[in-house]
Amino acid sequence: MELWYTEKQTESYGITAKVKETYVNEQTDFQQLAMIETEEFGTMLVLDGMVMTTDKDEFVYHEMVAHPALNTHPNPEQVLVVGGGDGGVIREILKHPKVKRAVLVDIDGKVIEYSKKYLPNIASGLDDARVEVHVNDGFMHIHDHKNEYDVIMVDSTEPVGPAANLFTRGFYQGIYEALKEDGLFVAQTDNPWFKADLITSVNRDVKEVFPIVRVFWANVPTYPSGLWTFTMGSKKHDPLAVDETAIPERETKYYTPRLHKAAFVLPKFVEDLVK
């Protein structure tokens, strides 16, 4: 008998993958968590029925959360990741020698625990000496740490459950206050095929807080529609003003210096969402 996992991404559309083994399937204090082994994508982390990351395509998302922001800020010494308990964004941050301290704040310690066990290639940086890991509410952490970070990265689930507060104007204002005078932040902002209104509202809210706002995108096969957007809000530094020739080559699979500005060139229908 074949076993398949299906994520119902809308009321009438979803993706499915053949399952080899189920490692974890439990209700944590915050969400339903599953770790499954699939034939096509390897180990897959699923939260509340939504695919968060997989062995096969994780590098796209994690690289694009980390590198455009860290290559835009000239001296990103203090970096915060809100969410991201799998550790993928932290792993990418550690490729930047200017980073002196990387703080991870995830509300669900079980995500961190099981990622270390079942996704070791993704969680490989969580025990690094430059990394601080806190099991806490990211919203409150930002509220309690004013003027502390150079770069803040929001690696959240979709705006449901414990992540709902991470898509509000108040949260973006809190990020602004937690950043230093030339700080910037980046957040995943879902897909334009099924969540067009969300992208528009997030962009409007971030523009009310930050003087420089840019949207960029990448292809992540296991995320709804595959076309995924990210939003950067910055106090001073514009990612489009970065000298691509000065970006060092790093050990990446998706992001490159040539891709840095290209990722900010939006398809027309996405461009229209953020005018």
Side-chain angles (χ1 to χ4, degrees):
M1 182 180 69
E2 292 185 349
L3 180 64
W4 291 71
Y5 165 73
T6 298
E7 177 185 345
K8 192 176 180 182
Q9 297 180 338
T10 73
E11 288 301 312
S12 53
Y13 174 80
I15 62 166
T16 188
K18 190 176 180 181
V19 176
K20 295 169 64 176
E21 187 174 356
T22 300
Y23 300 128
V24 177
N25 185 20
E26 72 174 60
Q27 179 68 39
T28 74
D29 290 340
F30 301 96
Q31 56 207 337
Q32 184 69 30
L33 185 157
M35 283 282 189
I36 57 179
E37 184 72 21
T38 68
E39 291 198 0
E40 185 64 39
F41 290 97
T43 306
M44 179 181 286
L45 168 61
V46 180
L47 297 178
D48 285 337
M50 298 176 288
V51 176
M52 293 295 106
T53 195
T54 79
D55 276 330
K56 185 172 183 177
D57 68 352
E58 58 87 11
F59 63 90
V60 181
Y61 176 84
H62 294 136
E63 290 179 13
M64 293 303 283
V65 171
H67 298 302
L70 294 176
N71 286 325
T72 296
H73 196 289
N75 193 33
E77 294 183 348
Q78 305 289 324
V79 181
L80 170 67
V81 180
V82 176
D86 55 67
V89 173
I90 288 289
R91 182 196 63 201
E92 296 305 312
I93 290 170
L94 294 175
K95 295 177 181 178
H96 291 254
K98 289 184 178 180
V99 175
K100 294 181 178 179
R101 172 173 167 255
V103 180
L104 174 75
V105 181
D106 195 300
I107 198 168
D108 196 339
K110 288 292 185 179
V111 174
I112 300 168
E113 175 187 341
Y114 289 131
S115 294
K116 285 183 174 182
K117 184 174 182 179
Y118 297 107
L119 295 167
N121 292 332
I122 300 177
S124 59
L126 290 177
D127 294 322
D128 188 276
R130 288 186 286 165
V131 177
E132 297 177 14
V133 177
H134 301 278
V135 178
N136 207 338
D137 185 335
F139 193 99
M140 293 308 300
H141 180 91
I142 283 175
H143 180 269
D144 295 337
H145 292 77
K146 307 294 187 185
N147 192 37
E148 184 168 330
Y149 295 104
D150 299 301
V151 176
I152 295 174
M153 302 174 183
V154 184
D155 179 6
S156 67
T157 64
E158 294 187 49
V160 295
N165 285 338
L166 306 186
F167 290 81
T168 62
R169 189 193 179 284
F171 182 57
Y172 305 132
Q173 181 64 43
I175 288 176
Y176 186 95
E177 294 170 6
L179 288 167
K180 296 179 184 178
E181 63 179 11
D182 66 340
L184 59 87
F185 93 103
V186 64
Q188 72 85 6
T189 44
D190 223 292
N191 80 91
W193 290 106
F194 308 137
K195 296 290 182 67
D197 291 345
L198 175 67
I199 293 173
T200 297
S201 65
V202 167
N203 190 260
R204 180 189 63 242
D205 289 345
V206 177
K207 282 179 176 176
E208 290 180 358
V209 179
F210 287 86
I212 300 170
V213 181
R214 304 292 185 193
V215 176
F216 58 104
W217 66 280
N219 173 250
V220 187
T222 51
Y223 288 179
S225 85
L227 176 57
W228 209 250
T229 72
F230 309 81
T231 299
M232 186 184 299
S234 178
K235 293 184 177 182
K236 291 187 178 180
H237 306 295
D238 189 341
L240 298 184
V242 171
D243 179 3
E244 294 177 9
T245 64
I247 299 176
E249 294 280 355
R250 305 193 192 278
E251 186 181 343
T252 57
K253 296 180 180 179
Y254 188 90
Y255 177 88
T256 66
R258 279 90 50 210
L259 185 71
H260 180 88
K261 289 182 182 176
F264 291 86
V265 179
L266 303 176
K268 178 64 163 56
F269 81 106
V270 183
E271 195 175 59
D272 289 343
L273 297 176
V274 296
K275 283 183 175 178

